[in-house]
Amino acid sequence: MQAKLVKNNLESIEISSSEWYSLNQFLYEIKQIDSPCVSVYYPYGKGTETISLLQETKRKESFEKIESEIEKRITHLRKSPSSAGKFAKTLCIFGWIKNGKVHTKEIGTSKRLPYIYMASKKPYIKPFRDILKTNHDVLLITLDQKSARIQKFHGSQIIQEAKLRIDLRSRHRKGGQSQGRFLRARQTKIHVFFKKVATKVRNMDSNSELILLGGIGPAKTEFYSELDSELVKKCRFVENLSFSTPISDVHKKIIRHLYQHRRKYVVGIIEKYEKLVKEGLTAKRNDVIYKALEIGAVDTLIVSTDYHTDSQFKKIMKMLEIAKNTSANIEFAASPKIIKKLEIHDSVLAILRYRIK
């Protein structure tokens, strides 16, 4: 079974949990690189064109040295492409210098990612982040009326975990207090336990994107009422989740809910752009946007993932690099419906920080 995600912020795709896990592991290693890096994404079968692009673009000496090694890796991958999925649609290579030596690392993915060639202070991994949400934390809470497990995921990694438990009798014993008093005392004990769990969740939450809540029986709905308003906004119920659910199935559930969350994010981006058109805080012509990027006036750049098929390819690729180096947000549009609606088959769109002349 495969779970859906939103590709590059603006497209619904399918990704298997095994590939999701492999890509997360790869990006965990890439994020450890803390030096200037050349990041290259190119469609499988476009290796020759990519080498030509690297050779004709002039960089400072250190980047030229990295690019030379990347060219060698591209030549090798034409004969033996590796992929985290069943078939490689996009090949991604990262190159950097450490202790005077050039290092490269690559991976193939079954997902169609945008064509990118970028030299920057760190590896450019946003296209992966968009389909995997590796830069956000997710809290997964599994509980019943007497035990709880709270796991904090960053990508596929569990970076924090807590377990809480109480001794709770399920049946009234003969003698002693009445059945009614026993049930009231039991419910009070559960209530106090859930408050303790909610406090733990609040302490572990910090910057989580989502809180996923599941478990067998009525416990999750009872516990939900103990969460404060800020936690409730992030909380989503997860079906068929128990303490014995295999980790592969847990990953599928996380992916599914991240996809749903991503859809809401997409709606927000489109609504924001359409609203700001009326206020003069957008730009649509490539030449205008290029100048806006150079003066740091662009807040968000919206680019079609198919831009490499048109005559504006090299100019748009340069615009992406300027956007990255001026801290502008970059959103890639891959959905045909979105591309048609925004009319960005061969251009980019920009949300501006301020009006420009």
Side-chain angles (χ1 to χ4, degrees):
M1 179 180 177
Q2 290 187 325
K4 290 185 177 179
L5 283 175
V6 171
K7 178 181 181 179
N8 301 329
N9 290 351
L10 302 174
E11 181 188 18
S12 165
I13 63 167
E14 292 184 349
I15 185 168
S16 70
S17 57
S18 59
E19 182 174 0
W20 182 80
Y21 183 82
S22 296
L23 293 174
N24 268 285
Q25 294 292 98
F26 175 81
L27 291 184
Y28 176 78
E29 297 173 11
I30 290 297
K31 285 190 288 185
Q32 309 310 310
I33 300 169
D34 191 22
S35 60
C37 182
V38 175
S39 307
V40 178
Y41 296 61
Y42 65 96
Y44 176 60
K46 296 290 183 179
T48 302
E49 292 88 335
T50 304
I51 290 175
S52 297
L53 181 65
L54 289 166
Q55 291 175 340
E56 69 182 55
T57 306
K58 299 302 177 183
R59 303 279 188 178
K60 62 182 182 180
E61 186 178 347
S62 59
F63 282 133
E64 292 281 350
K65 190 176 179 181
I66 294 171
E67 289 171 359
S68 178
E69 290 299 315
I70 289 178
E71 289 167 20
K72 294 176 184 177
R73 292 305 302 161
I74 291 174
T75 300
H76 172 76
L77 290 172
R78 280 190 298 183
K79 302 174 183 177
S80 179
S82 59
S83 180
K86 290 184 178 180
F87 304 100
K89 287 186 179 178
T90 307
L91 293 170
C92 315
I93 306 178
F94 301 89
W96 69 100
I97 295 177
K98 183 177 181 181
N99 299 326
K101 183 181 178 181
V102 176
H103 297 261
T104 62
K105 197 169 184 66
E106 75 268 345
I107 195 168
T109 172
S110 65
K111 306 311 155 197
R112 186 170 58 87
L113 301 182
Y115 206 137
I116 290 171
Y117 161 37
M118 186 178 293
S120 53
K121 294 180 181 179
K122 289 187 177 182
Y124 184 68
I125 60 174
K126 185 173 191 302
F128 282 111
R129 283 179 165 176
D130 288 343
I131 63 171
L132 302 174
K133 292 302 290 287
T134 59
N135 58 331
H136 294 290
D137 295 332
V138 174
L139 277 186
L140 182 70
I141 307 168
T142 311
L143 51 69
D144 55 27
Q145 292 182 324
K146 60 182 180 180
S147 54
R149 182 178 66 200
I150 309 165
Q151 297 169 302
K152 190 172 189 176
F153 284 82
H154 188 80
S156 60
Q157 303 280 329
I158 299 175
I159 58 174
Q160 193 177 355
E161 185 170 12
K163 296 179 180 179
L164 297 87
R165 185 178 177 83
I166 57 171
D167 182 23
L168 186 70
R169 283 191 294 146
S170 58
R171 294 184 179 180
H172 177 243
R173 295 172 184 172
K174 292 182 178 181
Q177 62 184 332
S178 67
Q179 175 76 2
R181 289 182 61 190
F182 166 78
L183 292 175
R184 287 193 295 273
R186 185 177 186 276
Q187 197 58 43
T188 298
K189 195 170 185 178
I190 293 170
H191 177 68
V192 172
F193 173 61
F194 284 165
K195 278 191 172 296
K196 186 176 180 181
V197 175
T199 299
K200 190 67 177 179
V201 169
R202 194 176 303 110
N203 292 337
M204 290 177 64
D205 173 58
S206 62
N207 60 345
S208 64
E209 187 82 359
L210 287 175
I211 297 175
L212 304 182
L213 176 58
I216 304 302
K220 57 180 177 289
T221 52
E222 294 175 4
F223 171 73
Y224 181 78
S225 63
E226 300 295 339
L227 297 174
D228 62 37
S229 59
E230 289 303 311
L231 296 180
V232 165
K233 290 177 184 176
K234 302 179 182 181
C235 193
R236 307 287 185 273
F237 286 104
V238 181
E239 299 301 323
N240 302 316
L241 178 69
S242 70
F243 294 106
S244 60
T245 301
I247 190 65
S248 59
D249 289 342
V250 169
H251 287 157
K252 290 177 183 178
K253 295 178 188 300
I254 291 174
I255 293 169
R256 187 175 301 118
H257 281 273
L258 285 174
Y259 162 68
Q260 293 170 355
H261 179 73
R262 203 65 176 173
R263 288 185 66 180
K264 292 182 179 180
Y265 176 80
V266 172
V267 171
I269 288 287
I270 302 305
E271 288 179 347
K272 180 179 179 181
Y273 175 82
E274 292 178 335
K275 177 183 178 182
L276 293 178
V277 167
K278 302 172 184 177
E279 299 178 21
L281 287 172
T282 63
K284 194 169 183 179
R285 286 171 43 198
N286 285 354
D287 56 342
V288 173
I289 295 171
Y290 196 96
K291 292 177 182 177
L293 282 166
E294 290 184 316
I295 62 174
V298 174
D299 175 81
T300 302
L301 196 68
I302 303 175
V303 187
S304 164
T305 55
D306 290 331
Y307 72 91
H308 63 276
T309 63
D310 61 60
S311 60
Q312 294 287 314
F313 167 46
K314 292 179 182 178
K315 187 171 185 177
I316 293 175
M317 183 169 283
K318 181 61 179 176
M319 290 164 73
L320 287 170
E321 190 168 56
I322 297 173
K324 173 67 171 62
N325 292 327
T326 55
S327 300
N329 298 313
I330 301 172
E331 305 296 346
F332 294 104
S335 165
K337 290 182 179 179
I338 295 297
I339 292 172
K340 183 177 180 180
K341 181 177 181 179
L342 299 181
E343 299 179 342
I344 51 175
H345 296 279
D346 58 355
S347 63
V348 297
L349 299 177
I351 294 175
L352 304 176
R353 292 179 173 137
Y354 51 85
R355 292 189 182 189
I356 57 175
K357 293 182 179 180

